[in-house]
Amino acid sequence: MNIGEASSATGVSAKMIRYYESIGLIRAPLRTGSNYRVYGDDEVHVLRFVKRARTLGFSVDETATLLGLWQDKSRASGEVKDIAIGHIAALETKIAELQGMVKTLKHLAHCCGGDKRPDCPILDDLAGEGPITNRYRDD
Amino acid sequence: MNIGEASSATGVSAKMIRYYESIGLIRAPLRTGSNYRVYGDDEVHVLRFVKRARTLGFSVDETATLLGLWQDKSRASGEVKDIAIGHIAALETKIAELQGMVKTLKHLAHCCGGDKRPDCPILDDLAGEGPITNRYRDD
DNA sequence: CTTGACCTTCCCATGATGGGAAGGTCTATA
DNA sequence: TATAGACCTTCCCATCATGGGAAGGTCAAG
């Protein structure tokens, strides 16, 4: 398989496949006489693993660790679980942060007439001047 | 006020104040004879506005637009509301995405013994081989 | 006058990805 | 067989918002 075929087989762009190779996340594959990269089932399998881990929001570093654990027959599954649990916590922190933003913005948008009048509680809040809104400020 | 004083008065790092100036988000302030930037109440006000908008997750571009609307006395507040609503939608999309990841990961972690046995449903799922977990795959 | 805490500009790095140029290769068709 | 066009290769640059650090100037306190 060409890099293009490996790409469409895995959903990882050719650009990213080369990048993953350059940073050592995946091994350099064999080359044809004309210097084309050649991928087989094993490589495609690894790329799918990487793709899935990235889709789940693992960083490339975490993906590298998971990949190592995957290929290590003597691994302890507790180690993997720990990474997953840590990742869940990080995701939940991020979610809470975004939800805080949404809450504040919804409140502001609700208080904002949205018509042609220049008075705008959203801008007032951003400016730190809002006498109207019970602002959810964090300062 | 020095850039350092403006920084601690607003929570925006000196680095970022200079950066915001360089990209035209904020205006270049006056300088002392020895080329130090000098900030007054107006500038601090603008920086606080920027800080708040960034904290709420608006991009620098969106912040620039909001800043323009803030300083435009003839603005329509509907325009601001539209930006806020659009931003809320983007945040909610992101939240849903992260929640999907959390859901899948929690399911996997729950199914993972986390002990010393090498069998690990998390890795099996990442590898696309899991016969155990009812995977929440999107492919 | 020295010391240390500021300030200035300039360049580089991050993380993950895409864009694009310049040049080589392969395949189908005219 | 020649050519077109769809691949491949490497290399450099851009993104977005932020921080690090070097090299050099300035200011205030001791």
Side-chain angles (χ1 to χ4, degrees):
Chain A
M1 291 172 92
N2 272 344
I3 198 170
E5 292 164 318
S7 172
S8 41
T10 62
V12 182
S13 73
K15 276 277 191 195
M16 290 314 297
I17 294 175
R18 292 192 199 99
Y19 171 70
Y20 290 152
E21 181 187 326
S22 80
I23 62 172
L25 177 63
I26 60 177
R27 254 174 285 176
L30 295 173
R31 303 280 186 127
T32 65
S34 52
N35 208 30
Y36 282 22
R37 288 171 179 82
V38 182
Y39 298 90
D41 288 349
D42 285 2
E43 284 88 355
V44 164
H45 210 175
V46 167
L47 284 171
R48 288 224 180 92
F49 184 102
V50 169
K51 172 73 177 177
R52 175 86 176 126
R54 299 283 304 119
T55 298
L56 283 173
F58 289 101
S59 70
V60 168
D61 261 15
E62 287 170 323
T63 302
T65 304
L66 291 171
L67 203 46
L69 290 167
W70 179 44
Q71 288 163 340
D72 172 11
K73 295 301 177 200
S74 68
R75 85 244 163 176
S77 71
E79 211 172 325
V80 179
K81 188 167 182 173
D82 287 350
I83 293 175
I85 299 269
H87 190 53
I88 288 169
L91 290 175
E92 285 183 333
T93 300
K94 186 74 188 165
I95 287 169
E97 203 177 307
L98 295 177
Q99 278 171 339
M101 296 177 192
V102 167
K103 186 176 173 187
T104 302
L105 283 172
K106 277 193 169 168
H107 177 69
L108 292 172
H110 179 71
C111 294
C112 175
D115 50 24
K116 298 241 185 298
R117 284 179 299 111
D119 302 306
C120 178
I122 296 175
L123 291 177
D124 289 344
D125 178 275
L126 288 172
E129 294 168 332
I132 301 160
T133 62
N134 291 320
R135 289 170 285 134
Y136 300 138
R137 309 231 15 201
D138 45 10
D139 55 27
Chain B
M1 291 172 90
N2 272 344
I3 198 170
E5 292 164 317
S7 171
S8 41
T10 61
V12 182
S13 73
K15 276 277 191 196
M16 289 315 296
I17 295 175
R18 293 194 198 96
Y19 171 70
Y20 290 151
E21 181 188 326
S22 80
I23 62 171
L25 177 63
I26 61 177
R27 254 174 285 175
L30 296 173
R31 302 281 185 127
T32 66
S34 53
N35 207 29
Y36 282 23
R37 288 172 179 82
V38 182
Y39 298 90
D41 288 349
D42 285 2
E43 285 88 355
V44 164
H45 211 175
V46 167
L47 283 171
R48 288 224 180 93
F49 183 102
V50 169
K51 172 73 177 177
R52 176 87 176 124
R54 299 281 305 120
T55 298
L56 284 173
F58 287 101
S59 71
V60 169
D61 261 15
E62 287 169 324
T63 302
T65 304
L66 291 171
L67 201 47
L69 290 167
W70 178 45
Q71 288 162 340
D72 173 10
K73 296 300 178 202
S74 68
R75 86 245 162 175
S77 71
E79 210 171 326
V80 178
K81 188 167 182 172
D82 287 350
I83 293 175
I85 300 269
H87 190 52
I88 289 169
L91 290 175
E92 286 184 330
T93 299
K94 186 73 188 169
I95 288 169
E97 203 177 307
L98 294 177
Q99 279 172 338
M101 295 177 192
V102 166
K103 185 175 173 187
T104 302
L105 282 172
K106 277 193 168 166
H107 178 69
L108 292 172
H110 179 72
C111 294
C112 175
D115 50 24
K116 297 242 186 301
R117 284 179 300 112
D119 302 306
C120 178
I122 296 174
L123 291 178
D124 288 346
D125 178 274
L126 288 171
E129 295 168 331
I132 301 160
T133 61
N134 291 320
R135 289 170 284 134
Y136 301 139
R137 310 241 1 213
D138 45 9
D139 56 24

